[in-house]
mmCIF file with all atom_site columns, all heavy atoms in Angstrom:
data_model
loop_
_atom_site.group_PDB
_atom_site.id
_atom_site.type_symbol
_atom_site.label_atom_id
_atom_site.label_alt_id
_atom_site.label_comp_id
_atom_site.label_asym_id
_atom_site.label_entity_id
_atom_site.label_seq_id
_atom_site.pdbx_PDB_ins_code
_atom_site.Cartn_x
_atom_site.Cartn_y
_atom_site.Cartn_z
_atom_site.occupancy
_atom_site.B_iso_or_equiv
_atom_site.pdbx_formal_charge
_atom_site.auth_seq_id
_atom_site.auth_comp_id
_atom_site.auth_asym_id
_atom_site.auth_atom_id
_atom_site.pdbx_PDB_model_num
ATOM 1  N N   . ASP B 1 233 ? 29.454 21.329 23.461 1.00 0.00 ? 233 ASP B N   1
ATOM 2  C CA  . ASP B 1 233 ? 30.906 21.537 23.393 1.00 0.00 ? 233 ASP B CA  1
ATOM 3  C C   . ASP B 1 233 ? 31.624 20.281 22.921 1.00 0.00 ? 233 ASP B C   1
ATOM 4  O O   . ASP B 1 233 ? 32.760 20.344 22.461 1.00 0.00 ? 233 ASP B O   1
ATOM 5  C CB  . ASP B 1 233 ? 31.467 21.909 24.782 1.00 0.00 ? 233 ASP B CB  1
ATOM 6  C CG  . ASP B 1 233 ? 30.948 23.261 25.236 1.00 0.00 ? 233 ASP B CG  1
ATOM 7  O OD1 . ASP B 1 233 ? 30.507 24.045 24.371 1.00 0.00 ? 233 ASP B OD1 1
ATOM 8  O OD2 . ASP B 1 233 ? 30.978 23.520 26.458 1.00 0.00 ? 233 ASP B OD2 1
ATOM 9  N N   . HIS B 1 234 ? 30.984 19.136 23.100 1.00 0.00 ? 234 HIS B N   1
ATOM 10 C CA  . HIS B 1 234 ? 31.672 17.874 22.812 1.00 0.00 ? 234 HIS B CA  1
ATOM 11 C C   . HIS B 1 234 ? 31.064 17.089 21.658 1.00 0.00 ? 234 HIS B C   1
ATOM 12 O O   . HIS B 1 234 ? 31.766 16.401 20.942 1.00 0.00 ? 234 HIS B O   1
ATOM 13 C CB  . HIS B 1 234 ? 31.625 16.949 24.047 1.00 0.00 ? 234 HIS B CB  1
ATOM 14 C CG  . HIS B 1 234 ? 32.079 17.592 25.313 1.00 0.00 ? 234 HIS B CG  1
ATOM 15 N ND1 . HIS B 1 234 ? 33.413 17.748 25.612 1.00 0.00 ? 234 HIS B ND1 1
ATOM 16 C CD2 . HIS B 1 234 ? 31.393 18.107 26.350 1.00 0.00 ? 234 HIS B CD2 1
ATOM 17 C CE1 . HIS B 1 234 ? 33.516 18.345 26.798 1.00 0.00 ? 234 HIS B CE1 1
ATOM 18 N NE2 . HIS B 1 234 ? 32.299 18.577 27.258 1.00 0.00 ? 234 HIS B NE2 1
ATOM 19 N N   . PHE B 1 235 ? 29.741 17.160 21.525 1.00 0.00 ? 235 PHE B N   1
ATOM 20 C CA  . PHE B 1 235 ? 29.048 16.266 20.587 1.00 0.00 ? 235 PHE B CA  1
ATOM 21 C C   . PHE B 1 235 ? 28.440 17.044 19.429 1.00 0.00 ? 235 PHE B C   1
ATOM 22 O O   . PHE B 1 235 ? 28.110 18.219 19.563 1.00 0.00 ? 235 PHE B O   1
ATOM 23 C CB  . PHE B 1 235 ? 27.908 15.520 21.298 1.00 0.00 ? 235 PHE B CB  1
ATOM 24 C CG  . PHE B 1 235 ? 28.363 14.546 22.343 1.00 0.00 ? 235 PHE B CG  1
ATOM 25 C CD1 . PHE B 1 235 ? 28.615 14.975 23.645 1.00 0.00 ? 235 PHE B CD1 1
ATOM 26 C CD2 . PHE B 1 235 ? 28.541 13.204 22.036 1.00 0.00 ? 235 PHE B CD2 1
ATOM 27 C CE1 . PHE B 1 235 ? 29.035 14.083 24.613 1.00 0.00 ? 235 PHE B CE1 1
ATOM 28 C CE2 . PHE B 1 235 ? 28.959 12.304 23.006 1.00 0.00 ? 235 PHE B CE2 1
ATOM 29 C CZ  . PHE B 1 235 ? 29.211 12.742 24.301 1.00 0.00 ? 235 PHE B CZ  1
ATOM 30 N N   . GLU B 1 236 ? 28.250 16.345 18.302 1.00 0.00 ? 236 GLU B N   1
ATOM 31 C CA  . GLU B 1 236 ? 27.498 16.905 17.187 1.00 0.00 ? 236 GLU B CA  1
ATOM 32 C C   . GLU B 1 236 ? 26.037 17.057 17.623 1.00 0.00 ? 236 GLU B C   1
ATOM 33 O O   . GLU B 1 236 ? 25.504 16.188 18.316 1.00 0.00 ? 236 GLU B O   1
ATOM 34 C CB  . GLU B 1 236 ? 27.515 15.945 15.986 1.00 0.00 ? 236 GLU B CB  1
ATOM 35 C CG  . GLU B 1 236 ? 28.857 15.742 15.329 1.00 0.00 ? 236 GLU B CG  1
ATOM 36 C CD  . GLU B 1 236 ? 29.317 17.001 14.598 1.00 0.00 ? 236 GLU B CD  1
ATOM 37 O OE1 . GLU B 1 236 ? 28.450 17.795 14.174 1.00 0.00 ? 236 GLU B OE1 1
ATOM 38 O OE2 . GLU B 1 236 ? 30.544 17.178 14.491 1.00 0.00 ? 236 GLU B OE2 1
ATOM 39 N N   . SER B 1 237 ? 25.411 18.124 17.130 1.00 0.00 ? 237 SER B N   1
ATOM 40 C CA  . SER B 1 237 ? 24.000 18.361 17.447 1.00 0.00 ? 237 SER B CA  1
ATOM 41 C C   . SER B 1 237 ? 23.121 17.157 17.065 1.00 0.00 ? 237 SER B C   1
ATOM 42 O O   . SER B 1 237 ? 22.181 16.804 17.757 1.00 0.00 ? 237 SER B O   1
ATOM 43 C CB  . SER B 1 237 ? 23.560 19.622 16.705 1.00 0.00 ? 237 SER B CB  1
ATOM 44 O OG  . SER B 1 237 ? 22.201 19.805 16.757 1.00 0.00 ? 237 SER B OG  1
ATOM 45 N N   . SER B 1 238 ? 23.482 16.500 15.959 1.00 0.00 ? 238 SER B N   1
ATOM 46 C CA  . SER B 1 238 ? 22.663 15.365 15.500 1.00 0.00 ? 238 SER B CA  1
ATOM 47 C C   . SER B 1 238 ? 22.970 14.081 16.272 1.00 0.00 ? 238 SER B C   1
ATOM 48 O O   . SER B 1 238 ? 22.343 13.048 16.034 1.00 0.00 ? 238 SER B O   1
ATOM 49 C CB  . SER B 1 238 ? 22.881 15.134 14.007 1.00 0.00 ? 238 SER B CB  1
ATOM 50 O OG  . SER B 1 238 ? 24.259 14.965 13.765 1.00 0.00 ? 238 SER B OG  1
ATOM 51 N N   . ASP B 1 239 ? 23.947 14.140 17.190 1.00 0.00 ? 239 ASP B N   1
ATOM 52 C CA  . ASP B 1 239 ? 24.273 12.960 18.000 1.00 0.00 ? 239 ASP B CA  1
ATOM 53 C C   . ASP B 1 239 ? 23.798 13.103 19.436 1.00 0.00 ? 239 ASP B C   1
ATOM 54 O O   . ASP B 1 239 ? 24.141 12.301 20.299 1.00 0.00 ? 239 ASP B O   1
ATOM 55 C CB  . ASP B 1 239 ? 25.780 12.704 17.996 1.00 0.00 ? 239 ASP B CB  1
ATOM 56 C CG  . ASP B 1 239 ? 26.268 12.208 16.641 1.00 0.00 ? 239 ASP B CG  1
ATOM 57 O OD1 . ASP B 1 239 ? 25.493 11.493 15.977 1.00 0.00 ? 239 ASP B OD1 1
ATOM 58 O OD2 . ASP B 1 239 ? 27.398 12.545 16.247 1.00 0.00 ? 239 ASP B OD2 1
ATOM 59 N N   . ILE B 1 240 ? 23.029 14.163 19.706 1.00 0.00 ? 240 ILE B N   1
ATOM 60 C CA  . ILE B 1 240 ? 22.489 14.346 21.054 1.00 0.00 ? 240 ILE B CA  1
ATOM 61 C C   . ILE B 1 240 ? 20.995 14.016 21.020 1.00 0.00 ? 240 ILE B C   1
ATOM 62 O O   . ILE B 1 240 ? 20.228 14.649 20.280 1.00 0.00 ? 240 ILE B O   1
ATOM 63 C CB  . ILE B 1 240 ? 22.702 15.800 21.541 1.00 0.00 ? 240 ILE B CB  1
ATOM 64 C CG1 . ILE B 1 240 ? 24.189 16.142 21.534 1.00 0.00 ? 240 ILE B CG1 1
ATOM 65 C CG2 . ILE B 1 240 ? 22.099 16.006 22.932 1.00 0.00 ? 240 ILE B CG2 1
ATOM 66 C CD1 . ILE B 1 240 ? 24.501 17.595 21.858 1.00 0.00 ? 240 ILE B CD1 1
ATOM 67 N N   . TYR B 1 241 ? 20.589 13.026 21.784 1.00 0.00 ? 241 TYR B N   1
ATOM 68 C CA  . TYR B 1 241 ? 19.188 12.592 21.800 1.00 0.00 ? 241 TYR B CA  1
ATOM 69 C C   . TYR B 1 241 ? 18.494 13.114 23.049 1.00 0.00 ? 241 TYR B C   1
ATOM 70 O O   . TYR B 1 241 ? 18.964 12.903 24.166 1.00 0.00 ? 241 TYR B O   1
ATOM 71 C CB  . TYR B 1 241 ? 19.087 11.066 21.736 1.00 0.00 ? 241 TYR B CB  1
ATOM 72 C CG  . TYR B 1 241 ? 19.559 10.538 20.412 1.00 0.00 ? 241 TYR B CG  1
ATOM 73 C CD1 . TYR B 1 241 ? 20.883 10.133 20.232 1.00 0.00 ? 241 TYR B CD1 1
ATOM 74 C CD2 . TYR B 1 241 ? 18.703 10.495 19.317 1.00 0.00 ? 241 TYR B CD2 1
ATOM 75 C CE1 . TYR B 1 241 ? 21.323 9.684  18.996 1.00 0.00 ? 241 TYR B CE1 1
ATOM 76 C CE2 . TYR B 1 241 ? 19.132 10.057 18.078 1.00 0.00 ? 241 TYR B CE2 1
ATOM 77 C CZ  . TYR B 1 241 ? 20.453 9.643  17.925 1.00 0.00 ? 241 TYR B CZ  1
ATOM 78 O OH  . TYR B 1 241 ? 20.878 9.210  16.694 1.00 0.00 ? 241 TYR B OH  1
ATOM 79 N N   . LEU B 1 242 ? 17.364 13.785 22.835 1.00 0.00 ? 242 LEU B N   1
ATOM 80 C CA  . LEU B 1 242 ? 16.648 14.429 23.939 1.00 0.00 ? 242 LEU B CA  1
ATOM 81 C C   . LEU B 1 242 ? 15.235 13.866 24.025 1.00 0.00 ? 242 LEU B C   1
ATOM 82 O O   . LEU B 1 242 ? 14.587 13.638 23.004 1.00 0.00 ? 242 LEU B O   1
ATOM 83 C CB  . LEU B 1 242 ? 16.555 15.936 23.665 1.00 0.00 ? 242 LEU B CB  1
ATOM 84 C CG  . LEU B 1 242 ? 17.877 16.655 23.404 1.00 0.00 ? 242 LEU B CG  1
ATOM 85 C CD1 . LEU B 1 242 ? 17.609 18.062 22.883 1.00 0.00 ? 242 LEU B CD1 1
ATOM 86 C CD2 . LEU B 1 242 ? 18.722 16.705 24.674 1.00 0.00 ? 242 LEU B CD2 1
ATOM 87 N N   . SER B 1 243 ? 14.741 13.671 25.245 1.00 0.00 ? 243 SER B N   1
ATOM 88 C CA  . SER B 1 243 ? 13.347 13.246 25.421 1.00 0.00 ? 243 SER B CA  1
ATOM 89 C C   . SER B 1 243 ? 12.517 14.479 25.717 1.00 0.00 ? 243 SER B C   1
ATOM 90 O O   . SER B 1 243 ? 12.763 15.171 26.687 1.00 0.00 ? 243 SER B O   1
ATOM 91 C CB  . SER B 1 243 ? 13.216 12.305 26.620 1.00 0.00 ? 243 SER B CB  1
ATOM 92 O OG  . SER B 1 243 ? 13.864 11.102 26.349 1.00 0.00 ? 243 SER B OG  1
#
Side-chain angles (χ1 to χ4, degrees):
Chain B
D233 294 340
H234 309 280
F235 293 86
E236 293 291 333
S237 170
S238 55
D239 289 327
I240 301 174
Y241 293 93
L242 305 169
S243 292

